[in-house]
Amino acid sequence: MRKKIKKAIPVRYHDGLSQLRPNAGGIDIGASEVWVDVGNKDAEPTRVFETFTADLNRMGDWLKSCGIQTVAMESTGVYWIPVCQILESKGIEVYLVNARQAKNVSGRKSDMLDCQWLGILHRYGLLPASFRPARDIGVLRAYMGACQQSCVLKVNHNVPSNRA
């Protein structure tokens, strides 16, 4: 059973500041839902997608059709990894941002408001990207982690136990 989806609240922009990234979006990632905001690029600017691969591909296609070139998302947990990989494969630049830097003002907190807030901050250039190693280095780190775990398992397997 799907949750009841609230209607998106229109977001106001500050006229005195210039947007550095007008073709930017914001994404709030959860375990079962991904909330995406594209600002004023679509009649329905905030949408929710499920976390299945087909839905993430549909999200990437929608972002491309809206003319979005870059998105910002919080890098909490591991849920961002498939979203990031799919968006990068579609040519969208992904900014992973620290949750502390994107902290919203006090008040009601919802996924819809978070993705809108991330989008606004990203459009005005107020979110620095977190460090992410190059793709080749990421693959190397995955191999090294697997190798280290394998070595630890072998060492622990050969340790004699003190049984009476």
Side-chain angles (χ1 to χ4, degrees):
M1 186 171 151
R2 289 202 42 96
K3 295 181 200 174
K4 200 176 206 181
I5 298 175
K6 298 178 188 176
K7 186 82 173 155
I9 302 164
V11 178
R12 289 189 271 157
Y13 295 99
H14 192 281
D15 296 331
L17 294 174
S18 62
Q19 292 185 12
L20 298 178
R21 298 181 190 98
N23 296 326
I27 298 179
D28 185 70
I29 301 174
S32 60
E33 293 179 333
V34 177
W35 284 82
V36 184
D37 177 64
V38 294
N40 56 5
K41 302 287 183 188
D42 193 51
E44 186 185 347
T46 304
R47 292 189 186 181
V48 62
F49 297 90
E50 299 207 12
T51 55
F52 297 109
T53 304
D55 295 318
L56 296 179
N57 281 317
R58 198 166 38 89
M59 176 188 69
D61 294 338
W62 176 65
L63 287 169
K64 289 300 279 185
S65 70
C66 291
I68 298 298
Q69 298 170 343
T70 177
V71 294
M73 64 176 123
E74 291 180 354
S75 59
T76 52
V78 296
Y79 300 120
W80 63 271
I81 296 172
V83 176
C84 182
Q85 290 173 341
I86 287 174
L87 292 180
E88 285 181 339
S89 72
K90 294 189 179 290
I92 298 173
E93 184 182 12
V94 177
Y95 274 60
L96 289 176
V97 297
N98 190 335
R100 285 188 200 140
Q101 295 169 337
K103 197 169 197 167
N104 204 344
V105 292
S106 62
R108 292 200 174 268
K109 179 175 172 16
S110 72
D111 294 336
M112 181 177 58
L113 292 174
D114 280 349
C115 74
Q116 289 175 344
W117 182 245
L118 284 170
I120 290 171
L121 292 177
H122 190 45
R123 284 181 201 97
Y124 286 110
L126 299 174
L127 293 175
S130 297
F131 172 74
R132 283 184 36 228
R135 178 171 289 195
D136 296 341
I137 301 299
V139 171
L140 180 63
R141 289 173 68 180
Y143 284 136
M144 292 300 293
C147 179
Q148 284 178 342
Q149 275 199 319
S150 175
C151 291
V152 167
L153 290 175
K154 288 178 184 176
V155 168
N156 288 340
H157 181 70
N158 293 331
V159 173
S161 59
N162 295 329
R163 294 187 186 168

